[in-house]
Amino acid sequence: MKKYQNIIVPTDGSVNSKRALEHAVIIASAVGATITLVYVANIVSVISNFDQIPNANGYVTEQVALDMEEDGKKVLDDFAKAIPQEVSVKSVFEVGSPGPAILSVAKKYNADLIVMGSRGLGPLKGLFMGSVSSYVVTHSVCPALIVK
């Protein structure tokens, strides 16, 4: 029988990612697994909108990156606080394309399961759209549970 040791939970702060975390906590509590929370800042899509702003120099993009990191780490901290103390938790902040970044983290941390929301419409709309969960399900080498 398969034993879950590390459950990856991508989050963007949305309601569906909170639901996914609830499921992950139930599973982790039952089997003694660690939860690894993942927040992916998709800075490329945000910065691409600056090409229409004449004064979008390096400072603006650098500030956007810093703001996204601060927001992401706050989401990770808030989600980590919602996990019972008896469940071990790690937090990972990544920058990149959400689907590949989630799978990269899953590989790096030897994930046994990925639990994620079907659509994320949190503070950074579009970070976890349905296409991201489809990408993860299609390309993951471990099981993925998509929560609605």
Side-chain angles (χ1 to χ4, degrees), residues 7-13 17 35-41 72 75-76 90-94 98 101-103 105-106 109 127-128:
I7 302 171
I8 303 294
V9 182
T11 183
D12 63 353
S17 63
I35 291 178
T36 301
L37 298 171
V38 181
Y39 184 98
V40 180
V75 169
L76 288 169
K90 299 175 191 169
S91 294
V92 177
F93 175 84
E94 291 286 327
I102 291 165
L103 295 181
V105 170
Y109 288 91
L127 182 60
F128 290 109

Side-chain angles (χ1 to χ4, degrees), residues 26-109:
I26 291 168
I27 295 167
S29 295
V31 300
T34 296
I35 291 178
T36 301
L37 298 171
V38 181
Y39 184 98
V40 180
N42 191 354
I43 194 165
V44 174
S45 68
V46 174
I47 290 177
S48 68
N49 292 329
F50 287 119
D51 64 351
Q52 298 172 15
I53 301 172
N55 293 328
N57 58 26
Y59 172 76
V60 172
T61 56
E62 182 179 329
Q63 188 59 47
V64 168
L66 291 172
D67 291 346
M68 289 179 79
E69 182 174 5
E70 183 179 319
D71 292 345
K73 288 185 176 178
K74 183 180 181 329
V75 169
L76 288 169
D77 287 345
D78 290 346
F79 272 59
K81 289 175 187 170
I83 298 172
Q85 287 186 344
E86 64 270 10
V87 176
S88 177
V89 63
K90 299 175 191 169
S91 294
V92 177
F93 175 84
E94 291 286 327
V95 175
S97 179
I102 291 165
L103 295 181
S104 174
V105 170
K107 182 178 180 181
K108 180 178 179 180
Y109 288 91

Side-chain angles (χ1 to χ4, degrees), residues 2 48 69 72 79 107 113-115 131:
K2 178 74 173 166
S48 68
E69 182 174 5
F79 272 59
K107 182 178 180 181
L113 178 66
I114 299 171
V115 180
S131 61

